[in-house]
Amino acid sequence: MGEGTVLERLEMVEGANAHLIGGKLIQGNASFAVIDPATGRPFALCPEASQADLDAVVAAARAAFPAWAARTPEDRRALVHALADNIAAAADRLAPLLTREHGKPIEQARMELTVAAHHMKQLAALEIGDEVLRDDARGKVELRYHPLGVVGAIAPWNFPIALAMHKVAQALYTGNTLILKPSPYTPLTTLAVSGLAADVLPAGVMNVLAGGNDLGAWMTAHEGIDKISFTGSVATGKKVMASAAATLKRITLELGGNDATLVLADADLDKAAAGIARSGFYNCGQICMAIKRVYVDEQVRAPFLEKLVEKVSALRVGPGSEPGMDMGPIQNRPQYEKVKAYLEDAVARPGAEVLTGGSVRGGEHGEGGYFIEPTIIAGLDETVPLVCEEQFGPVMPVLSFTSEDEAVQRANATRFGLGASVWSTDETRARAVAGQLMAGTVWINRHGLNESDVPFGGMKESGYGREHGVLGIRAYQELQVVSRPTG
Ligand code: NAD
């Protein structure tokens, strides 16, 4: 059967077949195919927004803005919480669709939905009110925070719901209206969630448009959008920043990383191995703040590697719809081919040692699903792309060092600066090393914790600004200073 015939037989998924524009679910005229990464084959159609749809949605979001901004934060919090409750209540129903379009194991899909709902509630409870900077003989100076207007939220495919819903909660709670664009690789569960939003939010407050990369670019250039909250790759982040400059939009960029972890000689090796295996391979390694390079002190290299290999070789890989899997396929074919190329290049390097895994199961172009075995490779250096670029997949390089200064210098020798971590039983030593690592977050004896009250973001090319916590949510507000004399 030719590809054309397959596409002709595809249908939209009920409940995930429309954009949300001004409170109405609208299908539009065009559509594109969504692929199941466990088979490499298309399984459903998704509506594809046009530039006219974007103009319509911007008009709806602008129209809804004054009334939404005029509500109290408590009122907006209650509605964001109602949406979060709806998402949590629908987690069992939506998880199979999330697994089908994303590939992740069904338990992890369910967890993404429930954790996203939990984070929404926490974000919509942060302190966002006005402040008095000073009230003394020189006068009273207040810091007042206003919503920005219409926020354009552009999401990636690795956590389609969690990352999008963080933006939804922060934007809406602070009094903005919102236009959300999911990744074209994983749009369907987001469309299903938009149906839940239509049930609780006033028309035009939250809007969802599915479409390709062009739609993202149109959003960043649109005069009717005041801020772009973007999560995705460094390369696209730079395009977003350049395009947003024309209208001087506010931007928050959450971009890629190449997180290093340092295992010091005095580390608890059992805890380090367990934590590193979890951080590096959860979600198939497709996490911005996953551990992507391991540096271990030469003195403990052998026992550490033995423990790490034991953990990683025990991971169960298969279709996410089968219960009990730890890892599904890579989410999409370009990413599969990218990780496969990193793997093949690394394995062919002189001195490379594959300690576990090392093969792909999905064929040259992922015809059998985009599966790659969880892999650990030693014997590489920083000239190898697997080490110095962002692999975003389940292939982990382990390097060794002989002094902490050397390890810090090598960890920092990158244009990325998202996260890093250090494993040591000596708190003073760990803190000293942490302070030298140039990353937006440095974890000690753990890696990758994401908490709603803690600002998160990258140094260097890993981002611009922060999300989460009071610091992050303030980026959805415009600061106004009100100053008057005393008396
Ligand atoms: P991507 O940059 O390819 O796409 C992200 C989104 O941008 C998609 O919705 C896409 O359609 C849209 N887009 C594409 N071109 C655009 C343009 N010119 N203008 C505006 N929007 C455009 O990223 P991806 O492959 O979907 O996601 C993986 C990347 O995201 C990785 O690098 C990962 O590290 C990063 N990421 C970062 C964080 C973080 O918080 N720092 C979190 C998750 C993922």
Side-chain angles (χ1 to χ4, degrees), residues 154-158 163 181-184 211-213 216-217 220 230-234 236 239-240 254-257 287-288 292 390 392 418 456 462:
I154 302 178
W157 47 257
N158 61 329
L163 294 169
K181 185 195 99 62
S183 166
N213 294 343
T220 61
F230 173 83
T231 301
S233 63
V234 172
T236 311
K239 289 185 196 164
V240 170
E254 294 286 355
L255 308 180
I287 307 185
C288 55
K292 295 181 181 130
E390 183 188 36
F392 218 58
L418 191 60
F456 178 75
S462 283

Side-chain angles (χ1 to χ4, degrees), residues 64-72 76 147 174-177:
F65 173 66
W68 183 247
R71 289 184 179 230
T72 64
R76 296 192 299 256
T174 46
N176 303 284
T177 54

Side-chain angles (χ1 to χ4, degrees), residues 344-426:
E344 288 168 355
D345 169 80
V347 168
R349 299 273 169 161
E353 258 185 288
V354 177
L355 301 176
T356 185
S359 53
V360 299
R361 297 202 205 149
E364 183 63 18
H365 301 297
E367 301 81 356
Y370 310 139
F371 293 97
I372 293 185
E373 286 188 347
T375 298
I376 296 179
I377 310 184
L380 305 174
D381 64 28
E382 285 84 358
T383 61
V384 179
L386 176 67
V387 179
C388 65
E389 295 175 12
E390 183 188 36
Q391 72 272 46
F392 218 58
V395 182
M396 177 186 272
V398 181
L399 298 84
S400 54
F401 63 86
T402 52
S403 83
E404 280 161 30
D405 286 348
E406 174 209 334
V408 167
Q409 184 267 322
R410 288 166 68 190
N412 284 341
T414 168
R415 64 183 212 284
F416 294 104
L418 191 60
S421 53
V422 50
W423 302 81
S424 168
T425 49
D426 179 339

Side-chain angles (χ1 to χ4, degrees), residues 147-339:
L148 292 162
V150 176
V151 171
I154 302 178
W157 47 257
N158 61 329
F159 286 96
I161 297 303
L163 294 169
M165 292 307 132
H166 295 168
K167 297 180 191 305
V168 168
Q170 291 177 103
L172 299 193
Y173 174 47
T174 46
N176 303 284
T177 54
L178 170 114
I179 300 162
L180 168 63
K181 185 195 99 62
S183 166
Y185 291 113
T186 53
L188 299 176
T189 317
T190 308
L191 293 184
V193 165
S194 71
L196 304 176
D199 291 343
V200 290
L201 295 169
V205 166
M206 173 172 163
N207 306 276
V208 181
L209 280 190
N213 294 343
D214 285 354
L215 174 60
W218 300 333
M219 287 168 70
T220 61
H222 204 292
E223 288 188 349
I225 296 180
D226 301 285
K227 175 189 168 97
I228 295 287
S229 173
F230 173 83
T231 301
S233 63
V234 172
T236 311
K238 289 178 181 176
K239 289 185 196 164
V240 170
M241 192 171 202
S243 173
T247 46
L248 220 68
K249 284 185 186 30
R250 302 320 185 234
I251 52 172
T252 306
L253 305 176
E254 294 286 355
L255 308 180
N258 189 11
D259 289 16
T261 192
L262 274 53
V263 183
L264 306 191
D266 66 357
D268 179 326
L269 297 184
D270 287 311
K271 282 194 185 144
I276 291 170
R278 183 174 165 76
S279 162
F281 294 90
Y282 191 78
N283 210 39
C284 224
Q286 303 167 128
I287 307 185
C288 55
M289 55 176 160
I291 291 174
K292 295 181 181 130
R293 299 175 283 158
V294 180
Y295 290 89
V296 57
D297 191 307
E298 190 62 49
Q299 297 173 60
V300 292
R301 179 182 187 271
F304 167 74
L305 278 176
E306 194 181 319
K307 290 173 194 298
L308 183 64
V309 166
E310 189 189 320
K311 294 275 177 214
V312 173
S313 55
L315 296 172
R316 291 151 300 179
V317 185
S321 54
E322 285 180 18
M325 292 300 144
D326 297 301
M327 264 177 45
I330 296 280
Q331 199 282 318
N332 60 70
R333 179 169 154 185
Q335 187 60 26
Y336 171 77
E337 291 181 356
K338 194 169 146 186
V339 178

